[in-house]
């Protein structure tokens, strides 16, 4: 009898816990749905009106939420810009790493990845310029930092995997840190990107200079 009562009590407690967890699940779904509406609204308005001309009030209205609710998800329009681009850039980067030409060299693999990123930014140069301004020196205690970290983990990790693959074939030195090399390769690309978006070089000049710069860096890690 005592054992039966215990089983009944545990089952009842489990039912209560399940009942209590259900609202939490709905709240999380509602939160994600609102976030999706905010990102979609910001993306559309930034694309049609431009970043500078878009207001947070307009984004909130288009997402069908209050301005106060909007600021629970992003503290500023700049944070929203990074939030929009982060997901797109992660998807763009993952696609580039996932569609590498078979049997290609490291330089061709890197150029494939960076060319894909360049094409993405070229779709809307004004937004790309605004984005670069906001991510180059992100403010402290900003959600931009975590968004950028998520993006860079994908990019650094993808490049590091290319380096590791080269190490496995014996083409690259075994004593190098793949992640450190990945950061160095991206830094070369990023400096060129700043020059292009800053008007110091054309897109063609940027690409033409990028390849030999990467080749110089690769020469330092080739196995001899």
């Amino acid at each position: 009898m005592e054992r039966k009562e215990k089983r009944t009590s545990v089952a009842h407690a489990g039912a209560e816990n399940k009942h209590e967890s259900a609202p939490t699940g709905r709240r999380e779904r509602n939160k994600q749905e609102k976030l999706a509406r905010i990102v979609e609204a910001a993306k559309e308005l930034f694309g049609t009106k431009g970043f500078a001309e878009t207001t947070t009030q307009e984004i909130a209205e288009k997402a069908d939420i209050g301005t106060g609710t909007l600021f629970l998800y992003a503290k500023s329009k700049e944070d929203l810009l990074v939030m929009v681009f982060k997901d797109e850039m992660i998807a763009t980067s993952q696609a580039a790493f996932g569609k590498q030409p078979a049997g290609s060299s490291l330089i061709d693999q890197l150029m494939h990845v960076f060319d894909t990123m360049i094409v993405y930014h070229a779709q809307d140069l004004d937004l790309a310029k605004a984005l670069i301004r906001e991510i180059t020196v992100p403010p402290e205690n900003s959600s931009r930092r975590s968004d950028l970290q998520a993006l860079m983990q994908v990019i650094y990790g993808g490049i590091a995997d290319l380096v590791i693959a080269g190490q496995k074939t014996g083409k690259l030195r075994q004593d190098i840190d793949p992640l450190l090399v990945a950061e160095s390769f991206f830094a070369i690309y990023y400096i060129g990107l700043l020059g292009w978006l800053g008007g110091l070089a054309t897109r063609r000049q940027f690409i033409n200079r990028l390849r030999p710069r990467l080749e110089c860096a690769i020469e330092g890690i080739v196995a001899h």
Side-chain angles (χ1 to χ4, degrees):
M1 184 68 176
E2 182 179 347
R3 185 176 300 175
K4 182 177 179 181
E5 289 176 353
K6 185 176 182 180
R7 285 201 302 269
T8 303
S9 176
V10 171
H12 181 65
E16 286 183 341
N17 289 339
K18 183 177 180 181
H19 178 72
E20 290 173 359
S21 64
T24 302
R26 287 196 293 271
R27 284 197 296 270
E28 183 61 27
R29 286 196 299 273
N30 288 337
K31 181 179 179 181
Q32 292 303 318
E33 288 171 0
K34 285 181 182 178
L35 178 60
R37 295 206 308 270
I38 291 169
V39 170
E40 189 60 33
K43 179 180 177 181
E44 183 175 338
L45 288 169
F46 290 158
T48 56
K49 294 191 64 175
F51 175 73
E53 299 302 319
T54 300
T55 67
T56 52
Q57 180 65 39
E58 290 172 323
I59 294 172
E61 290 176 357
K62 192 166 188 62
D64 194 25
I65 61 172
T67 306
T69 300
L70 175 66
F71 289 129
L72 294 176
Y73 292 83
K75 295 180 180 179
S76 67
K77 186 172 68 171
E78 289 75 18
D79 285 346
L80 276 173
L81 176 66
V82 176
M83 188 185 298
V84 168
F85 272 90
K86 178 204 70 173
D87 290 338
E88 288 193 347
M89 279 300 299
I90 285 178
T92 298
S93 301
Q94 290 174 332
F97 286 117
K99 296 180 180 179
Q100 286 289 353
S104 57
S105 63
L106 178 58
I107 182 62
D108 287 336
Q109 291 173 333
L110 291 172
M111 288 302 298
H112 170 75
V113 170
F114 292 140
D115 280 342
T116 301
M117 294 180 182
I118 292 169
V119 169
Y120 172 80
H121 287 306
Q123 294 175 8
D124 193 325
L125 286 179
D126 288 337
L127 276 182
K129 292 174 183 178
L131 173 68
I132 295 304
R133 282 197 300 269
E134 299 307 326
I135 68 175
T136 300
V137 186
E140 295 183 8
N141 302 321
S142 168
S143 62
R144 269 172 270 178
R145 288 179 176 266
S146 59
D147 285 339
L148 288 174
Q149 288 173 346
L151 171 59
M152 296 317 301
Q153 283 178 351
V154 172
I155 295 176
Y156 289 155
I159 298 175
D161 285 342
L162 298 179
V163 175
I164 291 171
Q167 289 177 316
K168 289 181 178 178
T169 62
K171 294 179 180 179
L172 301 181
R173 286 166 40 195
Q174 302 296 315
D175 62 333
I176 58 174
D177 181 345
L179 185 57
L180 183 62
V181 173
E183 292 171 351
S184 300
F185 285 156
F186 184 80
I188 293 172
Y189 159 78
Y190 196 73
I191 290 297
L193 179 68
L194 292 176
W196 170 42
L197 296 180
L200 300 178
T202 65
R203 176 178 172 180
R204 178 48 50 191
Q205 288 172 331
F206 170 30
I207 295 173
N208 287 345
R209 293 170 184 170
L210 179 59
R211 187 180 186 95
R213 287 171 176 169
L214 289 170
E215 287 175 331
C216 288
I218 290 172
E219 182 60 29
I221 62 172
V222 170
H224 296 289

